[in-house]
Amino acid sequence: DLLGKPAAAFFPSGVMAQQAALRVWTDRRHSRRVAIPDLSHLLQHEDDGPRRLHGFEFDHLTTGPVVATADDLRALAPGLGAALIELPLRDGGCLLPSWDELTALSEAARELGVPLHADGARIWESQPYWDKPLAEIAGLVDSMYVSFYKGLEAFAGAALAGPEDLVEEARTWRRRMG
């Protein structure tokens, strides 16, 4: 149990954890379309790896230094395989949505049937902003990646937290990606 999620898998890197989660969600929805902020770490710092390795088709959930809203997701929703939010949006100046904005985005994702994945690399530092338990924050998303070497200052590593069946499939992708 990590962050109140029923299962977790450990990964050597957050990039691998996130690609595995998105691959499982998009496979299940039979759509490689992923809604993602244009300033997301996966788009800005990974040399186009997620698209090249998995064939993801990225639609910009937001453009520039703004937080994603429920309306942003609704505008892209038909045919999405998954949506990713970064908590906080590092390249946007470490922006975080208000609790109400995050809750509304989560509700919209559930209403639309779009799996919502969180890049929670800095969730340990973000939690005090909302003053909510980590499990409550993670409860708003379907899966979350967390980093061990950022806020926790471990040498390396990451975890993917989510439903047991998602985590089991993600472990298979971890092996496939090496």
Side-chain angles (χ1 to χ4, degrees), residues 156-171:
L160 173 64
E164 287 183 37
D165 60 335
L166 170 95
V167 170
E168 189 57 39
E169 284 184 63
R171 285 185 182 109

Side-chain angles (χ1 to χ4, degrees), residues 38-102:
D38 75 328
L39 294 178
S40 168
H41 183 269
L42 286 179
L43 298 182
Q44 296 295 316
H45 303 286
E46 301 309 324
D47 296 326
D48 205 23
R51 186 189 61 80
R52 294 181 64 136
L53 291 173
H54 300 283
F56 296 137
E57 299 167 17
F58 293 117
D59 289 338
H60 294 159
L61 183 59
T62 58
T63 301
V66 296
V67 298
T69 67
D71 288 339
D72 295 328
L73 184 61
R74 285 188 183 98
L76 298 175
L80 283 176
L84 179 145
I85 55 173
E86 193 172 321
L87 301 174
L89 184 59
R90 181 186 73 164
D91 284 347
C94 291
L95 293 174
L96 283 167
S98 70
W99 184 252
D100 289 342
E101 289 168 327
L102 184 57

Side-chain angles (χ1 to χ4, degrees), residues 28 34 47 59 67 69 93 98 103 106 112 120-121 130 138 143 145 147-150 153 160 168-169 171 174:
R28 289 179 179 187
V34 177
D47 296 326
D59 289 338
V67 298
T69 67
S98 70
T103 301
S106 172
L112 298 164
W130 295 300
S143 57
Y145 139 71
S147 172
F148 296 141
Y149 64 90
K150 291 185 175 96
E153 299 182 8
L160 173 64
E168 189 57 39
E169 284 184 63
R171 285 185 182 109
R174 178 184 62 196

Side-chain angles (χ1 to χ4, degrees), residues 130-150:
W130 295 300
D131 194 27
K132 304 283 185 189
L134 288 169
E136 188 173 350
I137 297 165
L140 295 179
V141 298
D142 297 293
S143 57
M144 181 181 285
Y145 139 71
V146 296
S147 172
F148 296 141
Y149 64 90
K150 291 185 175 96

